[in-house]
Amino acid sequence: MTELYQLKRTPFHERTAALCLPQNWRRWAGHIAVGSYDLGLEREYWAIRNAAALIDVSPLMKYLIEGPDAARLLDKVTPRNIQKLAIGQVYYTGWCDDDGKLLDDGTVTRLGEQSFRLTSAEPALRWLAMNAVGLRVRITERTDQMAALSLQGPKSRAVLNRCCGTTVDGLKFFRMAPNVLADRPVTISRTGYTGDLGYEIWMDAADALPVWDALMDAGGDYGIAACGILAMDMARVEAGLFMLDVDYTAATHAWIPGQKSSPYEMGLGWTIALDKPGYFVGRRALEREAREGSAWKMVGLEVDWEGLERLYAAVGLPPQIPAMAVRGSLPVLHDGQQVGYASTSTWSPVLKKYIALVHLQRPYYEPGTRVSLEITVEHHRRHAPGTVVSLPFYEPEWKRK
């Protein structure tokens, strides 16, 4: 019976386990995933921002959706206009219940005229099948059969060009193309979860280790480093990217309405195609929110360093900065009244600022609003002043070039 509850290993486990010095492991979608390869996060974080970082993202749920009505199904279950998605193009999107509240988020890649790949954080096979009733479509889960790597950082393109059969110089932002790597067929998408220049490499699980080895060999001169999910966590906050079960709760997992979030509230208004024809799940609720505005929004918060410093100086200490992103709810106040909360906060090494993803009530989510973040100083609750800002916090100029 114990085998039923064991965490799965990704196809790269033989390589990642050998490199994981502190044995720092985390759970991710039923898999065991590396939290960090070193005792600290500095080398992995700076590989993302200065060089190239190789991240095992195989635990992502992956679904192949095929058939004459494949586009119709995805047009029904997501607010994006899938009919406009070109072959080789990738959409990022959330998807909702009938009340317009987020169930999950991920990517949709058009592999062919009648073929798509959907990635998600949570299992979605049952939900897809329920919405596919009456449609000519075949849905196949490929999570265990497909391995995936994320290669992120300003040197990622140079690394790929050294080891791929075809250069990736012409691969545009949010586009995908087939390639050959280590004499294995792969597809490479210019996507990622760090807000930097980056790519994701998709392959059969049987080809995982040769592809990993080829990338590490090719990246040696560029400072490539294996990177765990903790350093990636810091980078994704800088990029203003949220995480399921951390920054929002899936509508199906929420206990009360206040725990649910809409795409508009999470900053995904740009993904909602209210001009596309026909019905899609959550359309009426989203149309109403577009007219009336959102009661809440997720925005950025930059904490004033001098204000933070004063709070610690009052007890004779220098500021105490967490060594990794804090996935925890921290109250946010305006004039002493709580108006929201931070869901993830972190020190940003590249910006030299303490930042947070915060959820604020209207009208306090407007950029420039002065608020304060609750912190603990020597076991006492204190409030560090800060300013509401638009997301992302950080977006390098080479990200889209």
Side-chain angles (χ1 to χ4, degrees):
M1 287 295 291
T2 56
E3 293 182 1
L4 295 176
Y5 302 100
Q6 289 180 348
L7 293 174
K8 293 188 288 187
R9 298 179 175 184
T10 79
F12 301 102
H13 185 81
E14 185 177 334
R15 296 292 185 269
T16 59
L19 294 172
C20 186
L21 174 66
Q23 293 297 301
N24 185 346
W25 299 94
R26 295 290 190 274
R27 293 172 180 264
W28 181 5
H31 292 75
I32 183 171
V34 174
S36 67
Y37 289 91
D38 293 337
L39 295 174
L41 304 182
E42 292 81 6
R43 185 174 71 94
E44 296 167 52
Y45 170 84
W46 286 112
I48 295 173
R49 292 294 179 234
N50 287 341
L54 191 59
I55 309 165
D56 181 2
V57 294
S58 299
L60 284 170
M61 308 300 296
K62 313 170 197 77
Y63 299 96
L64 183 63
I65 302 171
E66 304 169 289
D69 291 332
R72 187 177 167 192
L73 170 61
L74 289 166
D75 216 36
K76 174 184 177 183
V77 298
T78 76
R80 299 299 301 261
N81 191 336
I82 301 298
Q83 303 297 338
K84 292 185 177 181
L85 187 65
I87 295 174
Q89 187 177 5
V90 184
Y91 272 170
Y92 170 70
T93 185
W95 45 92
C96 303
D97 62 10
D98 284 327
D99 296 323
K101 301 301 183 182
L102 279 170
L103 296 169
D104 204 342
D105 64 286
T107 59
V108 177
T109 304
R110 191 161 202 159
L111 307 174
E113 191 61 37
Q114 298 182 1
S115 177
F116 299 81
R117 180 171 61 235
L118 171 73
T119 67
S120 64
E122 292 279 335
L125 184 59
R126 181 173 180 268
W127 176 76
L128 289 168
M130 289 172 61
N131 282 283
V133 173
L135 299 180
R136 297 168 297 167
V137 63
R138 180 172 64 255
I139 306 164
T140 308
E141 182 175 342
R142 297 276 296 160
T143 303
D144 293 337
Q145 291 74 39
M146 179 174 285
L149 288 171
S150 184
L151 182 66
Q152 302 289 304
K155 304 299 183 183
S156 57
R157 181 181 296 146
V159 173
L160 285 174
N161 282 342
R162 177 171 282 193
C163 59
C164 284
T166 304
T167 69
V168 297
D169 291 337
L171 190 59
K172 295 181 180 180
F173 196 48
F174 272 85
R175 296 296 191 277
M176 177 278 299
N179 212 314
V180 175
L181 209 166
D183 296 322
R184 269 72 172 181
V186 300
T187 58
I188 299 177
S189 57
R190 192 169 162 190
T191 50
Y193 195 49
T194 65
D196 220 296
L197 173 66
Y199 301 83
E200 290 175 318
I201 304 121
W202 311 83
M203 72 217 76
D204 286 339
D207 297 330
L209 297 185
V211 170
W212 174 282
D213 292 341
L215 287 166
M216 292 297 282
D217 289 343
D221 292 337
Y222 296 99
I224 194 171
C227 179
I229 59 178
L230 297 182
M232 184 174 65
D233 219 17
M234 297 171 68
R236 64 100 182 165
V237 176
E238 293 173 335
L241 302 175
F242 54 76
M243 180 178 288
L244 178 66
D245 292 332
V246 177
D247 301 295
Y248 79 96
T249 301
T252 48
H253 295 171
W255 289 94
I256 56 175
Q259 293 179 336
K260 302 178 183 181
S261 301
S262 76
Y264 285 112
E265 291 172 341
M266 299 301 296
L268 296 185
W270 60 274
T271 68
I272 302 172
L274 294 179
D275 58 343
K276 73 174 181 178
Y279 164 83
F280 64 88
V281 180
R283 176 166 195 144
R284 290 183 179 178
L286 293 173
E287 287 175 334
R288 182 170 58 252
E289 187 173 353
R291 291 192 305 268
E292 299 175 358
S294 302
W296 289 78
K297 277 190 181 178
M298 188 190 78
V299 291
L301 174 67
E302 291 185 352
V303 176
D304 295 351
W305 182 255
E306 291 183 357
L308 185 67
E309 198 171 36
R310 282 194 296 270
L311 295 177
Y312 282 94
V315 295
L317 291 173
Q320 307 294 300
I321 301 300
M324 63 184 71
V326 176
R327 298 182 181 183
S329 180
L330 298 172
V332 175
L333 297 90
H334 178 82
D335 290 340
Q337 179 78 24
Q338 184 170 346
V339 296
Y341 61 96
S343 51
T344 311
S345 53
T346 188
W347 170 253
S348 168
V350 73
L351 298 174
K352 304 298 186 288
K353 295 178 180 179
Y354 197 70
I355 59 176
L357 300 178
V358 298
H359 304 255
L360 298 175
Q361 300 176 45
R362 185 171 48 197
Y364 305 104
Y365 51 62
E366 295 299 331
T369 304
R370 297 287 293 173
V371 295
S372 60
L373 177 71
E374 183 178 288
I375 62 171
T376 301
V377 179
E378 278 301 281
H379 320 295
H380 293 276
R381 295 178 181 178
R382 298 291 182 258
H383 301 103
T387 304
V388 175
V389 298
S390 299
L391 296 172
F393 296 101
Y394 175 73
E395 187 173 36
E397 60 182 21
W398 53 81
K399 173 184 173 181
R400 298 173 183 266
K401 288 185 178 179

